Amino acid sequence: MNRHLYRPTFSCLVLFVFFSASIPFACATSAATTTTLTVSSGGSAVTTVTSGNVVTLTAAVSSNSAKVTVGQVNFCDASVTYCTDIHLLGTAQLTSAGTAVLKFLPPPGSHSYKAVFTGTKTMATSASTTSALSVTGPGPSVTSLTSTGQAGNWTLSATVGGNGTTSPTGTVSILNASANNTVIATGTLTGGGGGGFIRMGELSGLFAEQPAVIGDFNGDGFLDVAGIVSSPSGVFATVMLGDGTGNFAAATGTDLGSQVGSVVAEADFNGDGILDLAVGGQSTVTILQGNGDGTFKQGQTLTFSANISSLVAADFNGDGIPDLAFLSPSLSRVLVYFGNGDGTFTASTLAPPSTASNTSAMVEGDFNGDGIADLAVSGETLEVFLGNGDGTFASAITNTQSGGFITGCDFNGDGNLDLAVANAPASVAILLGDGHGDFSTATDVEIGGALGAEFVDAPTYIACGDFNGDGKTDLIINDPIGQGSISAVAYGNGDGTFGGFSVFTNGIASVVTAGDFNSDGLSDLVTQDFPFMSVAQASSVTFNGISVTPGSGAQQVVASYPGDSNYRGGASQAVFLQAAQGTPTVSVTASAASVTQGVSVVLTATVGGSGVVPTGSIIFYDGSGVLGTVKLNSAGIATYSASSLALGTNSITASYGGDTNYVAATSPAMAVTVTAPGSTASTVTVKPASTTVAAGQTLAVSITVSGAAGGATPTGSVNLATGSYSSWQPLSGGTASFTLPAGTLTSGANTLTASYPGDPVYAAGTATATVTVPLVLVAIPAPPSVTPGASTTATATFSAGTNYQGTLNLTCALTTSPTGAQSLPTCTMNPTSVAIATGDTGTSTLTVKTTAASTSSLRLPSRDNPWRIAGGGTVLALLLTCGISSRRRRWISMLALLAVFSVVAAIGCGGGSSSTGSTGSPGTTAGSYVFTVTGTDASNASITATTTVTVTVQ
C-alpha cells in the first residue's frame, strides 16, 4: 500500500484528468474496466465511524468480470473537482487479488471518497461511484512539551493544539514515565486563538540528505517517514513509524544498508500490497522490499557508471508496474529502468532523455493530461519531457526559468499541474501549467520585508500542503543557511498567488516533507530534526520549578492531556529531565572485627541512593592513610582485602567521590583490632581429599589446627596456598574447608601449604601435603564378579592432562591372589595400545578369564577275566546261529551247548579281576584377585599411568 498525502513529488497529480470528460487510456485498444470502492472499519462496511478509528478503502478493478491485477489506484476526495495534491488521499498498487487497499485515519466531519484506476496500455481507466463517510466525535489534539532550566529547577511548557474553531481546554499533567507515570504537576490550559505549528519530539538527525518520503510502511493506517541518514559510519536509509498523533519512533531493525546514497523513492515494486523503497545516489540504487511491519529485506542492486542526483518512481511504459528514473548530471541524461513486477528492474534499451548541463533536480507528473507520466528537470533552464507511454519521451520543451529544487502542485485549482522552482534568495518561481506540457511566465513568490532578509540563499527545499485548512494549496519554503535554518509558509490564494506568510526560526532544520501525520485534516511537516504539527487553535500551560527525585538520573517526562468535548486526549513526546544530585548513604563492614597480625581482613563498602545506582570509586582509609581505591560494581559495592593493618585498633572508613547523580560522602568509622599471636605451640594438619587427581579437576582440602591437650580450641583463620592460589578461611572448631578450583594444580607434584598465623593463645604454624597430577590418569571400574570358568570385563579409561599427548602401550598383570589359590585367573588388554591427544581420553577393554574345575575315570584291562571271555564266546556263538536255516541248526545247537560249558568251566576255574580310578584339575579358587594395569608411553618409558582393579571370583 502506498500513501502520498501532500507528497512533494508529482505522482500525486497524474490522475486529475480522470475527473474530466475525456480519459486518454480509454481508446479502442484498451479494454473497459470497472472500479468499485468499499469503505470499512474493523472488518465491516461503514458509512459512519467515531473519530480516531482507522478506515480501510478497498478498490476492486475488473474487466469483463475478470480481475485486473496490475496497475495503480488513486483514492481521492470526491468533494472537489480535481484529485490533485492536497485532495489525493493516497495511491495503492493492485495485487493478485484484483484489489488495492488504503488504510488511513480520517479527520472528523462529512467526507466523500472515490477510487480511480489509472489504467494501463491494455486496460482503460475507470472511477468508482462516490462513497460517503461521516466521522463523529471529538477531533484529534496534539500535545507538545519543551523544557528549559537546570537540574532541580526546570521550567516546562506544554502546548495543546487542534484543528477546530475553539482552543483546547482543561488541564495538563506532567507524568514521570520513568517512574510508572507518577504525577509531578498539574496545570490549567490558558490562552488560545491563533494557530501555527507545534514542535514535537526529536527525530535524531534524520533525513539529512534529500526530502524524505511518506507512506504507511507497517500497515497500521498511520503515516510513516522514510529517508536517508548520514553518520560517521556511513549513509543509511531509515524508517520512523508514526503513531497517528504526530510522534514517531524508529522501526525495529531500521538499518537498511550503508553507503546507499542520498536519494529515496517509494512504491509497491513487487505488487504485494506493501510499500518498498529504492535508495541510492552514488553509483548504485538498492531496492529494499517491505515486510509490512516497517522493516525491509534487501533486494536487487542497480549499478551505474555515474552518480545520480534525483530518483523518481512512476509507470513510464504503461504496463501498470512502477518504473524508476534517475537523473545523472554528469551524464546529462535520464536513466530509465522498467519494473518487472517482482521487485526487480531491467534497464531500458530505448533512447533516454538528454538533459542540459548543470541540472540539479527532477520531478515526475502528468503535465499534459494524457495519463502518461512525464518528467521535469531543473537546472540552467527548465526542461519538460513528455512521456510517450512506452518508456520513451518526446524532445524537451524548454523554459528559460532556471533554478534548483523543484516540486509541483495545482496552485490555481484548474486541475493542471503547476511547478514551484527555488531560484533566488527569499524567492520561489511559480509556473502555471497549461495542461499541454507548457508553463506560463514565472511569477515569483517574494517573502518580503524582514522575513526575506532572513533567507540568505535560494530555498533548498519546497513542499506543498494545506497548512491552514482552507482547501487551497500552500507552500513551505526552507533555507538551511538562514538564521538557525528557517522555514516560511506562503499561504495560497487558490489562483496561483500567495497572500500571507508565517516564518519559523525555532530550530527548524533543513529537509522538509509534508503530510497529515496526526489526521486532523491539516498538512504537517517533518524536518531533519523535528516533526511539526499544524494547528488552527492552541492553548498552553507553564510549569515552573519542576524537579524529579534527586539522584534518579535522567528521567523521561511527558505532558498528558485528557481531552475535552472538542478534542481527544493524548500525550506529548518524552522530554528528559536531569535530576539534581542526591546525597548517598555510604557504609563499610569488615569480615572480622578482630584478626591476628598478618591475617587479611576483607573490607566491603556499600553506596546507596534514592534513584539510580551510584557509580564511581571508593577510597578505603585506615585513619588518614589510604589503603586502596576500588571501583564500585553495578550494585554500588566495592571490596578491598587489607593484609597489612597495624597492631592495635584501626579506624576504617570508606570515602565515595560522587558522580553526576550523587554528591561525595564518607561512611562512619569502623574499628578493626589487630592482635599479636600467642606463645603456645599449635599443630597444623593439611589433608587433601586425594593425593592424586586428574588435570582440570577440583580438589577438596581440609586444614585442622589443634592446640595443647585439654586446652582452648584455636581460633582465627588459616591460609591455603599452592602455586598462584592463595585463600583464607575462618576456623570453625579448629577446622577450615577449601575447594581448589579446576585448573589450580599443574602436572606433576604440587605442594599444598597450610599457614596458621596464630591467635592470642596459639603461635603460628604451617604444614604441607603433596598432591600429584599425573600426565595421564587411568581409571577402571570394578568388573562384575565371576564364577570359575567364566570371564569378566571392564573398560580402562586413560585421560591425558594438558601437558601430554602420545601413545601408551598397555599391559596387565595379576599382582595379588588369595593364599593357596589354584588355577589363577589371567588378564588381557584389547587394544594393547591407545593414542591420546592433549586433554582427550582413550579406552581399552580389560578381560579376566578364570578356570573351571574338571574330573575323569580310568578302567584297567580285563586280561584273564573268565566272565568276559565266556560272555564274549557265548555272544559270538549266538550271533553265529543267526540267519542259519532250521535244517542246519542241529550242529549249531551243539555249539551253543559247548559255549555254556565253557562259561561254567571258566567260572569253576576262578574269576579274573578288574580295577577303576579317577584324575582332573581344580577350578580357580574363590576370593579376591588384584590386577595392575599399566600404560607406558611408547617414546618415553618414564611416563606411565598405573591403577589396580579387584576381581571377585565366587
Side-chain angles (χ1 to χ4, degrees), residues 90-248:
T91 300
Q93 195 76 15
L94 284 170
T95 67
S96 59
T99 59
V101 176
L102 174 70
K103 290 182 179 180
F104 71 113
L105 196 63
S110 297
H111 307 282
S112 59
Y113 303 119
K114 179 177 289 188
V116 180
F117 172 53
T118 63
T120 67
K121 290 183 293 187
T122 59
M123 294 292 170
T125 63
S126 60
S128 72
T129 58
T130 299
S131 296
L133 179 68
S134 176
V135 182
T136 63
S141 62
V142 292
T143 303
S144 175
L145 182 65
T146 58
S147 65
T148 58
Q150 58 188 358
N153 186 21
W154 294 101
T155 296
L156 302 180
S157 297
T159 302
V160 181
N163 181 16
T165 58
T166 60
S167 299
T169 60
T171 61
V172 170
S173 296
I174 304 300
L175 309 180
N176 187 345
S178 299
N180 299 317
N181 288 329
T182 303
V183 177
I184 298 175
T186 299
T188 301
L189 290 169
T190 60
F197 289 86
I198 295 179
R199 196 184 84 179
M200 308 299 285
E202 294 186 11
L203 294 178
S204 303
L206 295 179
F207 323 130
E209 298 295 324
Q210 291 286 335
V213 294
I214 61 175
D216 184 6
F217 294 102
N218 61 349
D220 59 1
F222 309 139
L223 279 182
D224 310 314
V225 184
I228 304 298
V229 178
S230 295
S231 71
S233 58
V235 182
F236 300 85
T238 191
V239 174
M240 298 295 289
L241 299 179
D243 64 358
T245 68
N247 291 307
F248 294 84

Side-chain angles (χ1 to χ4, degrees), residues 72 177 184 270 313 399 564 574 581 609 669 714 743 936 941 948:
Q72 288 186 333
I184 298 175
N270 57 358
N399 188 294
D564 61 13
Q581 287 182 304
T936 304
T948 60

